[in-house]
Amino acid sequence: MKKILLLGDVHANYPALKAIGQYIKPDRFDRIVNTGDFTVYSTFPNETIQWFRKRKKTICILGNTDRKILRILKGKKLKKPKKNEKRVMYFWTSENLLAENTGYLKALPEKADFTVDHFRIGVFHGTLEDPDEELFPTDPAGRFQQLAKDSPYQIQIMGHSHVPYYKIVDGVHFINPGSVGRMFDGDPRASFAILKISSEKIAVEHFRIPYGVEEAVKDLKEQKLPGIYAKMFRIGKKLN
Ligand SMILES: [Fe+2]
């Protein structure tokens, strides 16, 4: 049996990532997948990226926040987001990211695929068709059917909507592990999933675990960043 750790949308919340690492011993996994959005909205982009950099067998892709950070670092103007509290977080991140971690992000793809046993697995930030599409488990079945149609992948792993789910539609397994570091559903705990593949079988289990929210909040305050993020981490809801 192969065990794959599914992570995504860490958003620089290293205390949450660290808690997961202590809970499941990541080195025991055959692969570690990250669906992107390493950066922005918490103050530990370097620690977050280094956690992935130091591990072997990782399959990591860029998310929209990472792509924006790379654009800012290239000197491009940040058109969106418009809200000031979000812009502050983007600029803080671009100013504090170490060159070696920027280099790591630059080398990452926007999507990836790999094979385990005879299963082909695709990894996307949004969906197979659009890296910026937010796919929710409540979306019409027709959207999942479109993404399943002619899919070269038996398993599609996605992030971006920050909603943990597992659905099988027309034989394709759709998995979103939820967000490690920025939850929107009123449960502030860190989310992740484990995918197990054994000969013919696929099994997916989701987890929510508590982490040191106050550690994240304390650092935001020390860096004099918008207080709205402290509240978001504490209640696990999107307020911005
Ligand atoms: Fe995200």
Side-chain angles (χ1 to χ4, degrees):
M1 186 186 58
K2 301 271 168 40
K3 280 172 78 178
I4 302 154
L5 175 60
L6 307 184
L7 303 170
D9 295 284
V10 183
H11 286 287
N13 190 340
Y14 182 67
L17 181 62
K18 187 174 63 179
I20 293 173
Q22 285 163 351
Y23 184 78
I24 42 94
K25 296 201 174 66
D27 297 331
R28 284 193 191 164
F29 287 82
D30 297 288
R31 299 277 193 159
I32 300 174
V33 169
N34 181 356
T35 63
D37 278 4
F38 291 77
T39 57
V40 188
Y41 301 123
S42 191
T43 54
F44 306 93
N46 291 305
E47 293 84 345
T48 297
I49 292 170
Q50 275 150 4
W51 191 94
F52 288 95
R53 279 181 61 200
K54 74 179 183 196
R55 297 202 144 75
K56 290 179 192 129
K57 302 178 198 162
T58 55
I59 293 159
C60 297
I61 61 167
L62 294 174
N64 50 298
T65 59
D66 308 318
R67 285 188 276 122
K68 275 201 177 92
I69 290 297
L70 292 178
R71 280 204 295 271
I72 293 170
L73 290 169
K74 267 191 193 165
K76 299 246 168 79
K77 273 196 180 150
L78 184 68
K79 286 184 193 155
K80 277 186 182 175
K82 293 243 181 286
K83 281 184 184 162
N84 190 53
E85 71 259 20
K86 285 188 166 184
R87 298 178 72 83
V88 167
M89 298 308 287
Y90 273 96
F91 290 121
W92 183 92
T93 304
S94 62
E95 282 158 20
N96 286 278
L97 199 60
L98 295 173
E100 62 194 60
N101 293 328
T102 306
Y104 173 81
L105 286 185
K106 271 187 193 162
L108 290 182
E110 287 186 16
K111 56 187 176 182
D113 61 74
F114 62 110
T115 303
V116 174
D117 294 343
H118 61 278
F119 293 107
R120 272 194 84 189
I121 304 169
V123 182
F124 313 100
H125 187 62
T127 64
L128 171 92
E129 289 178 354
D130 178 1
D132 292 324
E133 179 179 356
E134 286 184 309
L135 190 67
F136 295 96
T138 48
D139 282 345
R143 183 62 191 130
F144 284 90
Q145 284 160 355
Q146 282 169 349
L147 292 166
K149 196 172 175 276
D150 304 324
S151 169
Y153 311 107
Q154 290 81 52
I155 302 170
Q156 296 185 18
I157 302 168
M158 293 158 301
H160 196 43
S161 67
H162 294 208
V163 179
Y165 62 86
Y166 174 41
K167 262 179 182 270
I168 305 169
V169 178
D170 295 343
V172 175
H173 298 248
F174 293 92
I175 310 165
N176 188 321
S179 171
V180 169
R182 179 165 151 87
M183 289 310 300
F184 293 159
D185 63 0
D187 178 350
R189 295 176 299 167
S191 181
F192 68 99
I194 294 174
L195 165 64
K196 290 179 185 169
I197 298 177
S198 56
S199 53
E200 295 303 308
K201 272 196 181 160
I202 293 170
V204 177
E205 195 178 351
H206 283 88
F207 297 81
R208 292 298 278 273
I209 63 155
Y211 74 94
V213 175
E214 292 309 313
E215 207 184 313
V217 166
K218 188 172 160 256
D219 207 56
L220 273 169
K221 277 188 185 159
E222 281 174 9
Q223 305 291 336
K224 299 189 171 48
L225 291 165
I228 195 170
Y229 293 102
K231 200 172 174 194
M232 286 179 63
F233 289 127
R234 284 187 177 131
I235 66 172
K237 276 201 171 164
K238 191 175 199 282
L239 302 171
N240 64 341

